[in-house]
């Protein structure tokens, strides 16, 4: 898969920037320390690896994302971030896709991103929280007093 760079990289950062509805939902999950796995995209590739859970098709809101993230399964959002399509679903990407992650949630996120090319957010209860698309990984770490800093890197370890 090709590296993400240029305008595509800027577009991803704009999508999850502070002040956006999706960022508000992600920060609520981070603050609650519940964790989550969120796919932003409704392509056939994504829908093909969704298994079980609840088909919702409801309007997106940060509060809904936060509440649905309390369940164990993944959440699938429409590409335009206007709808929550599925909640509490299992994602089943190909196990033949290599991953460097160790936790189940992060392994699934990396494989899902590589297989579908869509933006995938994996929020850990304890460690670094990733936004993954293909070979791009953005890492959110908690700073003092609930603020967050972000660092981005490519899967090959090079910082951006």
């Amino acid at each position: 898969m090709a590296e993400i760079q240029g305008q595509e990289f800027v577009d991803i950062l704009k999508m999850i920037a502070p002040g956006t509805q999706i960022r508000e939902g992600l920060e609520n999950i981070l603050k609650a320390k519940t964790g989550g796995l969120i796919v932003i995209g409704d392509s056939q590739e994504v829908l093909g690896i969704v298994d079980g859970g609840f088909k919702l098709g409801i309007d997106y809101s940060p509060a809904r994302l936060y509440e649905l993230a309390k369940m164990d399964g993944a959440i699938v959002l429409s590409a335009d971030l206007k709808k929550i399509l599925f909640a509490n679903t299992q994602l089943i990407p190909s196990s033949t896709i290599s991953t460097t992650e160790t936790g189940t949630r992060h392994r699934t996120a990396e494989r899902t991103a590589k297989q579908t090319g869509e933006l995938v957010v994996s929020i850990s209860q304890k460690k670094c929280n990733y936004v993954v698309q293909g070979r791009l990984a953005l890492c959110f770490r908690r700073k003092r007093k609930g603020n967050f800093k972000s660092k981005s890197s490519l899967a090959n370890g090079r910082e951006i």
Side-chain angles (χ1 to χ4, degrees), residues 63-131:
R64 285 181 172 161
L65 182 66
Y66 165 71
E67 291 298 330
L68 291 169
K70 293 177 182 177
M71 295 188 279
D72 286 337
I75 298 168
V76 179
L77 305 177
S78 62
D80 62 6
L81 296 171
K82 292 182 179 179
K83 297 282 185 183
I84 300 173
L85 304 176
F86 293 91
N88 200 34
T89 188
Q90 183 177 4
L91 299 174
I92 308 178
S94 173
S95 62
T96 62
I97 298 171
S98 65
T99 177
T100 58
E101 294 297 329
T102 55
T104 303
R105 180 180 294 148
H106 294 299
R107 292 174 68 82
T108 301
E110 186 176 7
R111 285 181 172 143
T112 298
K114 286 179 177 180
Q115 182 170 329
T116 67
E118 301 290 357
L119 188 63
V120 181
V121 180
S122 179
I123 301 173
S124 174
Q125 295 173 353
K126 297 179 183 174
K127 67 177 209 169
C128 183
N129 302 287
Y130 293 97
V131 178

Side-chain angles (χ1 to χ4, degrees), residues 8-111:
E8 186 178 11
F9 180 72
V10 171
D11 291 344
I12 291 169
L13 291 179
K14 284 181 182 179
M15 181 188 304
I16 60 169
T20 61
Q21 292 286 302
I22 186 66
R23 180 62 172 258
E24 183 180 341
L26 296 175
E27 287 193 4
N28 289 341
I29 296 166
L30 284 164
K31 288 175 189 172
K33 299 180 183 177
T34 57
L37 179 58
I38 301 147
V39 179
I40 301 172
D42 47 11
S43 66
Q44 286 302 320
E45 290 84 5
V46 170
L47 300 178
I49 64 170
V50 169
D51 184 42
F54 303 104
K55 185 174 182 178
L56 300 176
I58 59 174
D59 290 339
Y60 172 86
S61 76
R64 285 181 172 161
L65 182 66
Y66 165 71
E67 291 298 330
L68 291 169
K70 293 177 182 177
M71 295 188 279
D72 286 337
I75 298 168
V76 179
L77 305 177
S78 62
D80 62 6
L81 296 171
K82 292 182 179 179
K83 297 282 185 183
I84 300 173
L85 304 176
F86 293 91
N88 200 34
T89 188
Q90 183 177 4
L91 299 174
I92 308 178
S94 173
S95 62
T96 62
I97 298 171
S98 65
T99 177
T100 58
E101 294 297 329
T102 55
T104 303
R105 180 180 294 148
H106 294 299
R107 292 174 68 82
T108 301
E110 186 176 7
R111 285 181 172 143

